[in-house]
């Protein structure tokens, strides 16, 4: 594979502020375990409290950025990936730039002068996590930045595009530009359901871009929420994955493949009207440090093989490997080199 951009991600860059808390802390802020929400007024004090926690850890985060960082780590090819999103001109923004460049990702941030860099409070309770995103600058991304010649040149170079559903309410016009480009040039366009609230509140946008999606990722909770919103009256993840895979396509070049993870249960892949299930690598509970970023890492591992045109089996195996590494470490972090073979 040539040493140039092959995979491009767009999303909400957030600096993860991660700390261990207890159940009472979740209750205090009306949070659910294993959920992801956008911060409201009542959540504002959390960020200061988390930052003052003696065990606080900072990592470059945001769902798409995590997946792109993991794909880059798995590929070990400098500059194979690029990532676009909006940050503020502040110390958190500088931290993010440093973090991403160290990971080898070619980041092209749009810098907003007047809004602070987005943050995400990662509340870790045992081996579960609850995410509260304060989008701030991440919410300010403008498609004008994407259209700049130097950035659009990256779009033209890339052959694979991945965008988490979290970007739908932020910059649908950017998603439209990229999805239409992919359809017109026989490239692969991929998205993620990302969170139950995205399936509920971004129903129209999801339906608008589904025809462009060659791959759709999600977890079992998101799939069931999507089904409920559509009035499908089924909680069966395999059935939901099949129905999603049969949703009409904008271009007939590629079929749609739907990949649904289910925590410790097998990964469900719907393709060509059939469902395949792939077991995940099961870990003893005492080995699990933090599930934050496990789903993002799965996608990153999967994409690292997909861009090398490996089989779906290999893509899933790499996804499971990457998720397995991530859950044994705090946050979405990884060792220097992967040992995936």
């Amino acid at each position: 594979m040539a040493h140039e951009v092959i995979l491009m991600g767009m999303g909400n860059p957030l600096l993860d502020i991660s700390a261990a808390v207890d159940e009472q802390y979740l209750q205090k802020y009306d949070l659910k375990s294993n959920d992801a929400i956008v911060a409201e007024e009542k959540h504002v004090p959390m960020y200061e409290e988390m930052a003052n926690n003696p065990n606080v850890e900072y990592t470059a985060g945001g769902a798409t950025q995590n997946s792109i960082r993991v794909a880059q780590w798995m590929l070990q090819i400098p500059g194979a990936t690029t990532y676009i999103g909006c940050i503020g001109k502040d110390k958190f923004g500088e931290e993010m730039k440093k973090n991403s460049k160290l990971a080898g990702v070619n980041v092209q941030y749009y810098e907003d002068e007047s809004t602070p860099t987005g943050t995400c409070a990662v509340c870790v309770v045992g081996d579960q996590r609850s995410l509260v995103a304060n989008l701030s600058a991440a919410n300010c991304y403008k498609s004008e930045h994407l259209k700049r010649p130097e950035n659009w040149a990256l779009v033209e170079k890339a052959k694979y595009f991945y965008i988490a559903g979290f970007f739908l309410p932020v910059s649908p016009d950017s998603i439209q530009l990229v999805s239409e480009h992919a359809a017109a040039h026989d490239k692969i366009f991929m998205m993620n359901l990302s969170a139950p609230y995205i399936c509920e509140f971004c129903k129209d946008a999801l339906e608008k871009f589904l025809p462009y999606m060659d791959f759709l990722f999600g977890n079992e909770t998101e799939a069931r929420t999507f089904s409920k919103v559509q009035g499908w009256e089924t909680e069966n993840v395999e059935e939901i994955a099949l129905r999603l895979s049969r949703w009409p396509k904008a271009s007939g070049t590629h079929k749609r493949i739907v990949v649904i993870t289910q925590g410790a249960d097998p990964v469900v892949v719907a393709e060509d009207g059939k469902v395949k299930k792939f077991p995940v690598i099961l870990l003893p509970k005492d080995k699990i440090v933090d599930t934050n970023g496990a789903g993002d890492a799965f996608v990153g591992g999967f994409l690292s093989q997909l861009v090398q045109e490996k089989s779906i089996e290999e893509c899933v195996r790499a996804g499971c490997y990457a998720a397995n590494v991530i859950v044994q470490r705090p946050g979405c972090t990884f060792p220097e080199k992967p040992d995936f073979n």
Side-chain angles (χ1 to χ4, degrees):
M1 197 166 68
H3 285 228
E4 60 175 56
V5 169
I6 187 163
L7 170 63
M8 180 178 203
M10 282 197 306
N12 302 336
L14 304 172
L15 193 71
D16 281 354
I17 304 173
S18 185
V21 299
D22 54 21
E23 278 295 339
Q24 281 87 348
Y25 193 78
L26 294 190
Q27 285 162 14
K28 175 180 165 186
Y29 285 109
D30 202 13
L31 303 175
K32 291 202 280 277
S33 191
N34 264 356
D35 197 14
I37 62 166
V38 171
E40 297 168 37
E41 198 60 44
K42 65 183 176 188
H43 299 117
V44 171
M46 286 181 67
Y47 298 92
E48 190 71 21
E49 290 169 8
M50 301 277 285
N52 291 332
N53 186 307
N55 303 312
V56 67
E57 300 206 9
Y58 295 96
T59 33
T64 306
Q65 186 162 243
N66 283 343
S67 296
I68 298 295
R69 282 170 58 241
V70 170
Q72 178 63 48
W73 170 68
M74 291 281 286
L75 283 164
Q76 293 286 309
I77 298 166
T81 62
T82 190
Y83 173 78
I84 281 180
C86 183
I87 59 173
K89 262 185 147 33
D90 52 23
K91 78 172 199 298
F92 281 173
E94 288 307 313
E95 185 71 29
M96 190 105 72
K97 278 194 262 191
K98 192 177 79 190
N99 230 297
S100 299
K101 285 190 175 133
L102 272 176
V105 178
N106 171 19
V107 289
Q108 297 298 325
Y109 293 127
Y110 169 56
E111 293 186 36
D112 188 295
E113 306 263 345
S114 57
T115 319
T117 295
T119 49
C120 182
V122 180
C123 306
V124 181
V125 182
D127 61 3
Q128 303 298 317
R129 87 291 181 262
S130 187
L131 309 179
V132 187
N134 181 10
L135 295 179
S136 296
N139 210 18
C140 301
Y141 189 78
K142 305 280 182 290
S143 58
E144 286 66 43
H145 176 260
L146 182 65
K147 290 178 193 161
R148 285 182 197 165
E150 67 274 25
N151 294 330
W152 193 253
L154 295 170
V155 174
E156 292 186 325
K157 270 187 192 160
K159 293 183 175 59
Y160 296 81
F161 301 95
Y162 174 69
I163 303 172
F166 293 121
F167 203 53
L168 284 166
V170 173
S171 189
D173 43 348
S174 298
I175 300 176
Q176 185 159 355
L177 285 168
V178 169
S179 60
E180 287 176 353
H181 168 86
H185 295 87
D186 193 15
K187 296 178 176 185
I188 302 288
F189 179 74
M190 304 170 280
M191 287 196 73
N192 199 312
L193 294 173
S194 292
Y197 83 86
I198 294 292
C199 300
E200 290 167 340
F201 302 121
C202 299
K203 176 179 180 280
D204 294 349
L206 264 177
E207 288 175 4
K208 177 181 175 178
F209 294 117
L210 243 171
Y212 293 96
M213 296 178 204
D214 301 305
F215 283 80
L216 174 61
F217 298 91
N219 67 24
E220 75 279 39
T221 318
E222 294 149 10
R224 288 183 177 126
T225 306
F226 187 91
S227 168
K228 188 173 146 198
V229 170
Q230 292 296 325
W232 286 351
E233 296 186 352
T234 178
E235 292 235 315
N236 181 309
V237 172
E238 294 170 47
E239 172 63 25
I240 297 164
L242 270 176
R243 289 183 77 160
L244 279 164
S245 71
R246 293 191 188 116
W247 197 285
K249 290 276 316 288
S251 85
T253 323
H254 308 287
K255 59 194 175 185
R256 180 180 306 108
I257 297 174
V258 176
V259 184
I260 306 292
T261 58
Q262 310 186 87
D265 293 328
V267 177
V268 170
V269 178
E271 173 184 14
D272 289 333
K274 296 188 200 68
V275 164
K276 283 189 187 157
K277 285 157 78 174
F278 299 90
V280 301
I281 309 162
L282 291 174
L283 278 173
K285 216 162 167 51
D286 62 343
K287 279 266 196 338
I288 299 172
V289 174
D290 173 8
T291 55
N292 178 35
D296 303 336
F298 173 86
V299 173
F302 189 104
L303 298 181
S304 73
Q305 303 309 296
L306 185 70
V307 302
Q308 298 180 74
E309 300 181 1
K310 300 282 175 71
S311 69
I312 294 298
E313 284 78 359
E314 274 302 282
C315 295
V316 172
R317 195 169 74 82
C320 292
Y321 164 78
N324 190 57
V325 170
I326 296 310
V327 298
Q328 295 183 68
R329 303 168 64 89
C332 193
T333 61
F334 30 81
E336 194 188 340
K337 289 223 169 19
D339 60 358
F340 177 76
N341 40 17

